[in-house]
Amino acid sequence: MSACAAPSPTLSSGSASEAAPPAGQASSARSRETAGTAPTGSATAAASGVPRAVEAALQTLLASSSQPSREQIRASLSAAGFAPAAVEVSASRTPTGLAADAVEVGVLSGTECVMAQIRSGTVESSVLPVLPSGRCFVGSVQR
């Protein structure tokens, strides 16, 4: 079963002090997992600087709002140069109107998705393959 043999995600966590290149510009590929450890996922999106650009945009947003809304996340990523059609964001509010514990973000970059989670004022991200549907999220996408 080849579907079970997908590469491991490349995990990273961003900090507001890290500078990110503008979307679409190449940067040197380096692992942000731990010093001296080789990256474990595919390096296509990572080599293009997209994960760092996504994290930088979200870190900037978190500096002004610890629990940003879906609309604020979309606006922040759009301002960072990501096409709205390439961005998927989970609900920031529950059906009963409470703030979600975490908001998931997927940014399509070629054959990979930069997946980020915003939880408790922090951002964690990974690079995963695009789903067979051509999307980053499973199920329907609300825009």
Side-chain angles (χ1 to χ4, degrees):
M1 294 199 295
S2 63
C4 293
S8 300
T10 302
L11 299 176
S12 64
S13 62
S15 72
S17 63
E18 290 183 29
Q25 272 190 350
S27 68
S28 63
R30 68 175 188 149
S31 173
R32 295 173 56 205
E33 296 175 29
T34 55
T37 304
T40 57
S42 174
T44 305
S48 71
V50 173
R52 286 203 281 185
V54 169
E55 284 190 22
L58 296 176
Q59 287 290 347
T60 300
L61 176 60
L62 286 174
S64 63
S65 173
S66 64
Q67 288 188 317
S69 69
R70 172 188 275 174
E71 294 75 23
Q72 289 173 311
I73 293 167
R74 287 187 167 285
S76 176
L77 291 170
S78 178
F82 294 101
V87 176
E88 300 173 40
V89 183
S90 68
S92 57
R93 310 281 309 160
T94 67
T96 58
L98 301 173
D101 291 336
V103 178
E104 305 291 330
V105 179
V107 178
L108 185 62
S109 176
T111 61
E112 297 176 324
C113 290
V114 177
M115 301 299 295
Q117 181 183 75
I118 300 172
R119 179 186 294 272
S120 303
T122 63
V123 176
E124 297 290 330
S125 69
S126 60
V127 178
L128 300 171
V130 173
L131 296 171
S133 66
R135 308 290 314 166
C136 295
F137 283 13
V138 173
S140 64
V141 177
Q142 297 178 3
R143 298 208 176 257

